[in-house]
Amino acid sequence: MATSEAIETALRDAAAERARLVRLDDDAITVTVDVAGVKASDHDAIEQAVRGAVEPLRGERKLRIALTAERSKPRLIAVGSGKGGVGKSTLAANLAVALARRGRSAGLVDADIYGPSVPTLLGREGVKPEAENQKLHPVDSDYGVPFLSMGQLVDAGQAVAWRGPMAGKALTQLIDAHWQAKELVVDLPPGTGDIQLSMVQSHKPAAAVIVSTPQDLALIDATRAITFFDKAGVPVIGLVENMAGYVCPHCGELSDPFGSGGAEAAAKALDLPFLGRVPLDIAIRTASDAGIPPAAGDSVQGRAFLSIADKVIDWMEGHGHAA
Ligand code: ADP
C-alpha cells in the first residue's frame, strides 16, 4: 500500500502546494484542494490533475477530493510619500518583486490615481484583468508578483477627476479581488487624500513604508505622511531614501544632487527605522521604463531594493506576519 509520503509527493508534483492529504484510511484517501483565487472554469482541470496523480497509488482505496476556498484576507503594506515623483511607485514595485524573490507570497496593488505606473513597471501595459462573480482576477507578471492597477479600471487621466466615494469604490475593487497572495504592497497616490483615507478606514494596512528624496522640502512632506499613518494607528515600518547620490554613467563618480543622508537623519529625528538608500541611477529609470524591475536581477541597484525588502520582512516576522 502506498505510504502517505508517496501520496504527498505525488500531490505536490500535481498541484504544487494546493492539494493536501488529510486522511489515509485502509479503504479511502481523502484529499483537500485549496482553490481560493482559482477561476471556477479551472477547478475541473485541477481536480483531474490531482485524481491522475493519486490514481496509480490508490490500489483498492476510494479517493475523495474536496475543493475548498478558505482564504484569509491578504495583509496590506502601504507605500506612501509626501509628494509625487520621489520614486514611490518604483519602490513599491521593486519591494513586491524583492519580497517574492525572498519566498514571500506577494502581490501589488497600484492605487495611484494620479499616475498608475505599475503595469509599465511590471512590463504588462494594456493587459486587462478578467472578472468573475464581480471580482477581479489579478494579472500575472513575469516576476512572481500578480497585480491590479487603477490604470486597468479607467483610461489614463480619467481617475484624477474622481471624488472620494468613486475613488474609494475603485480601491475596494482592487483590494477585494481574487487574491492568492498573502501580502499586498499598495502603491498609494502621493500625499494624504481621499484614497489614503479610504485605505485606513476600509482596508486598514498592517503597516506603511514611506519614501522620500533627501531634500528638506520632500522630507517635510514625508513627515506629513508619517503623521497621517500614525494618527490612523498604522505602524510605519520606516523611511526609504530614494534618488540619493548620483552615479555618473560616464566616469562612475558619485555626487549628491539632492543632498544625501537627509532621510536617515529625518528618520532618526522621528524615531523611525531607516530602511535604506536607493541611488539616483539612470539604470533604474531605463529598466523601469522597459518593464524590468531592478529587484528581479542581481545588479547593485537590485541589491538596494532587496536589502530594503529584508528589513520589511524582519519587521513583519517580528510582528507575527511569518511567510
Ligand atoms: P512616484 O511614484 O513617487 O511619483 P515614480 O516611481 O513614478 O515616482 O518615479 C518617478 C520617475 O523617476 C520615474 O521615471 C522613475 O523611473 C524615476 N526614478 C525613480 N527612482 C529612481 C532612481 N533611484 N534613479 C533613477 N530614476 C528613478
Side-chain angles (χ1 to χ4, degrees):
M1 276 224 271
T3 60
S4 51
E5 222 164 46
I7 297 172
E8 274 159 6
T9 306
L11 286 174
R12 233 186 339 269
D13 292 346
E17 300 298 320
R18 292 191 165 278
R20 254 187 341 129
L21 176 65
V22 287
R23 266 187 89 114
L24 181 59
D25 301 316
D26 287 345
D27 60 345
I29 299 171
T30 309
V31 171
T32 58
V33 185
D34 175 12
V35 289
V38 177
K39 286 177 209 156
S41 53
D42 292 339
H43 288 188
D44 269 1
I46 292 190
E47 185 175 341
Q48 287 313 320
V50 169
R51 197 168 283 286
V54 183
E55 195 55 41
L57 305 168
R58 184 170 67 88
E60 295 293 303
R61 289 178 286 208
K62 266 186 261 162
L63 172 60
R64 296 194 194 105
I65 299 177
L67 303 189
T68 63
E70 303 159 24
R71 187 159 30 134
S72 49
K73 280 198 163 188
R75 59 182 158 262
L76 308 174
I77 305 162
V79 176
S81 69
K83 59 183 209 122
V86 300
K88 170 186 50 55
S89 301
T90 307
L91 189 273
N94 283 281
L95 174 60
V97 169
L99 289 174
R101 279 191 73 181
R102 294 295 196 232
R104 311 282 300 196
S105 162
L108 182 58
V109 170
D110 177 6
D112 190 349
I113 43 175
Y114 301 108
S117 51
V118 164
T120 305
L121 289 166
L122 294 181
R124 282 285 185 276
E125 241 169 316
V127 182
K128 295 280 182 200
E130 288 177 37
E132 183 176 279
N133 302 330
Q134 313 198 327
K135 277 190 180 187
L136 297 173
H137 279 284
V139 169
D140 282 330
S141 68
D142 288 340
Y143 309 105
V145 176
F147 76 97
L148 284 172
S149 167
M150 287 286 182
Q152 294 167 323
L153 301 184
V154 285
D155 291 335
Q158 208 178 313
V160 180
W162 280 347
R163 292 286 165 263
M166 287 273 284
K169 243 187 180 162
L171 180 68
T172 297
Q173 254 191 298
L174 300 182
I175 289 179
D176 288 347
H178 292 291
W179 288 105
Q180 292 172 42
K182 294 205 174 68
E183 45 217 26
L184 300 183
V185 175
V186 185
D187 180 17
L188 290 172
T192 55
D194 288 336
I195 289 274
Q196 286 83 344
L197 265 180
S198 304
M199 184 88 205
V200 298
Q201 286 168 355
S202 313
H203 313 278
K204 196 167 170 185
V209 170
I210 307 294
V211 186
S212 179
T213 49
Q215 306 101 306
D216 288 345
L217 270 180
L219 282 163
I220 290 168
D221 288 335
T223 308
R224 231 172 265 142
I226 291 164
T227 310
F228 172 84
F229 285 112
D230 263 352
K231 280 201 176 133
V234 175
V236 176
I237 301 179
L239 194 60
V240 171
E241 183 170 85
N242 187 32
M243 306 193 187
Y246 174 67
V247 186
C248 172
H250 304 295
C251 67
E253 194 199 346
L254 191 80
S255 55
D256 292 311
F258 299 138
S260 114
E264 186 165 12
K268 206 167 186 179
L270 293 164
D271 206 16
L272 272 182
F274 180 65
L275 300 179
R277 189 168 277 138
V278 179
L280 176 65
D281 190 328
I282 187 112
I284 293 181
R285 195 189 60 74
T286 46
S288 299
D289 285 354
I292 305 164
D298 286 314
S299 59
V300 185
Q301 300 85 1
R303 284 202 294 274
F305 292 111
L306 282 159
S307 140
I308 291 166
D310 286 339
K311 296 217 169 86
V312 170
I313 291 172
D314 282 348
W315 186 93
M316 290 194 288
E317 288 181 344
H319 290 76
H321 301 304

